[in-house]
Amino acid sequence: MKKLDGRLLPRWMKAAQGSELPPLRGFARNLSKDLDAVTAGLTQPYSSVMVEGHVNRVKYLKRQGYGRANLDLLRRRILLTP
């Protein structure tokens, strides 16, 4: 597994901003707007993958019952579906 290091990000951003590729320059510019969060995401060992997976599952169940099911059935499906 590749080890990420957010402390190297400013150096990469500086190189990307000197690039001749406008999309790459724009990406680096937008990263700088939220640099603390991006650096933490690359540096910290924590992840929200499990939470995002559960949110995706709940949204899927909700879409399946759209127009046909009420909140009680949705609640039961969320709690009883593995």
Side-chain angles (χ1 to χ4, degrees):
M1 182 175 169
K2 188 175 182 180
K3 181 164 174 41
L4 300 175
D5 189 356
R7 294 171 294 172
L8 301 175
L9 187 60
R11 185 179 348 157
W12 179 88
M13 288 171 54
K14 186 174 182 179
Q17 287 170 346
S19 169
E20 294 183 17
L21 301 171
L24 188 59
R25 287 195 312 260
F27 179 68
R29 184 177 57 249
N30 286 329
L31 280 180
S32 67
K33 294 177 183 176
D34 206 6
L35 185 60
D36 291 338
V38 175
T39 301
L42 292 171
T43 307
Q44 299 297 319
Y46 310 109
S47 174
S48 63
V49 171
M50 291 296 292
V51 173
E52 293 297 331
H54 287 296
V55 167
N56 189 34
R57 182 179 64 86
V58 168
K59 287 182 177 183
Y60 173 74
L61 293 171
K62 183 179 175 186
R63 279 192 305 270
Q64 277 186 326
Y66 183 75
R68 296 177 291 167
N70 61 16
L71 187 58
D72 292 330
L73 179 60
L74 178 62
R75 183 179 294 119
R76 280 194 308 237
R77 290 197 66 196
I78 290 170
L79 294 175
L80 297 177
T81 304

